[in-house]
Amino acid sequence: PLVGSDLLERASWPERQEDLVLVNALSVEQDRMRPSLIPSALQVVAENQKHFSDFAFYELGRAYRGFEDERSCLLFGLYSRENNRFVELLNHLEKLLATLGLSAEFAPRQEKFPNPLAPAAWPGTHPHEYVNVRVQGKFHGVATTAHPLVLKSFKAKGHFSFFVLDL
């Protein structure tokens, strides 16, 4: 659950959270607790798109908003060099929520109520492919496609759609 400031900068992640920097970090690349699984997922896309034109992956891990605010999250991503897989991603999300017995509401982005899993200040979400996942009226997830400019900063070409659920 560690990242470096370089990864957060390449991902254009808005929350720097200097209070989560480790005093005795082993390396500069892993000197702070990660605020989200999203920057790490972008790095996974950058590495794997060199070898595969289509792939899917998931990560079950921790993200931190402070040392007392640890969240277990699930990130599931679909990458394709040629096709946008956002609708396929939403189908997978619906099946997962139904299997878990959760009735969720998919809602569009609302500037008045920002989703904490994808901060409003983060320019990495696609403007038209974004869905908030609400369970019992509270934000518990987000599904979106990564903005092409953020992918470009990782030297990745193609389409990366993903959802993050706060478990």
Side-chain angles (χ1 to χ4, degrees), residues 40 48-49 58 63 76 85 113 154 156 159 164:
S40 301
N48 285 289
Q49 61 98 29
Y58 74 94
F76 177 77
R85 299 173 70 182
F113 303 106
F154 283 86
H159 306 275
V164 180

Side-chain angles (χ1 to χ4, degrees), residues 24-25 27 31 47 60 85 93-94 98 107 110 113 135 155:
N24 58 350
S27 71
D31 68 345
E47 290 299 318
L60 183 60
R85 299 173 70 182
L93 179 57
E94 284 180 337
Q110 296 175 350
F113 303 106
V135 178
K155 298 180 182 166

Side-chain angles (χ1 to χ4, degrees), residues 47-123:
E47 290 299 318
N48 285 289
Q49 61 98 29
K50 298 173 188 174
H51 308 288
F52 306 101
S53 60
D54 293 299
F55 58 88
F57 68 96
Y58 74 94
E59 180 180 359
L60 183 60
R62 296 182 307 260
Y64 301 87
R65 295 191 170 263
F67 281 111
E68 282 88 40
D69 190 3
E70 174 184 332
R71 301 193 179 257
S72 293
C73 297
L74 169 69
L75 182 138
F76 177 77
L78 297 173
Y79 171 82
S80 177
R81 193 167 291 143
E82 302 297 326
N83 302 316
N84 187 338
R85 299 173 70 182
F86 184 66
V87 174
E88 181 184 350
L89 177 84
L90 291 178
N91 290 335
H92 285 300
L93 179 57
E94 284 180 337
K95 287 177 189 175
L96 174 65
L97 293 171
T99 301
L100 295 174
L102 297 173
S103 64
E105 169 189 355
F106 291 174
R109 182 189 327 244
Q110 296 175 350
E111 300 299 325
K112 191 174 182 181
F113 303 106
N115 191 324
L117 294 170
W122 184 51

